[in-house]
Amino acid sequence: YLIFMTNIFKRLEIRYIQSSIYLAHELDDCQEVLLVDQGYYKIGFLVNNVEHLRLKFGPSTRIGSYNVLHMIRHEFIIKSVTSMFCYSLRKKAL
């Protein structure tokens, strides 16, 4: 178990994301898991070209972990609200 966790930590990459950047669109393929350390983002959907971003999340959350593990596409739009500092784990690294 310790060797497995050490290998995962070796594969983490640092990602800086600016505010108002789309991290995912509906039906995009999920290629990485983002572990949010700082910053906030919103999740929602698009109806008639109008965004409805209702949920807001912040530090100590992860983006795309369910999608990568179950090999499914994104179901919602994810957009950064503030600048974000994240750790990224690519799908290939798993």
Side-chain angles (χ1 to χ4, degrees):
Y1 179 75
L2 182 61
I3 294 171
F4 175 72
M5 291 304 292
T6 304
N7 286 334
I8 286 179
F9 287 129
K10 286 180 184 178
R11 289 177 170 83
L12 288 176
E13 301 173 15
I14 295 175
R15 295 268 316 263
Y16 294 101
I17 300 167
Q18 298 175 354
S19 62
S20 301
I21 299 292
Y22 288 97
L23 303 173
H25 292 279
E26 293 172 303
L27 301 178
D28 276 354
D29 191 28
C30 188
Q31 294 296 321
E32 66 183 347
V33 176
L34 290 175
L35 308 169
V36 180
D37 190 47
Q38 296 174 357
Y40 292 90
Y41 61 95
K42 286 188 173 184
I43 295 179
F45 51 90
L46 186 70
V47 176
N48 294 332
N49 292 327
V50 177
E51 291 179 357
H52 299 278
L53 303 172
R54 302 288 187 221
L55 300 174
K56 185 176 179 181
F57 296 98
S60 300
T61 57
R62 52 191 192 276
I63 301 170
S65 60
Y66 181 83
N67 302 60
V68 167
L69 292 176
H70 294 284
M71 295 182 287
I72 60 173
R73 297 178 181 269
H74 286 285
E75 296 174 353
F76 300 102
I77 297 172
I78 303 172
K79 184 178 181 180
S80 62
V81 176
T82 63
S83 58
M84 297 172 60
F85 176 78
C86 304
Y87 295 101
S88 171
L89 183 61
R90 295 182 191 261
K91 190 176 183 179
K92 293 178 185 179
L94 293 175

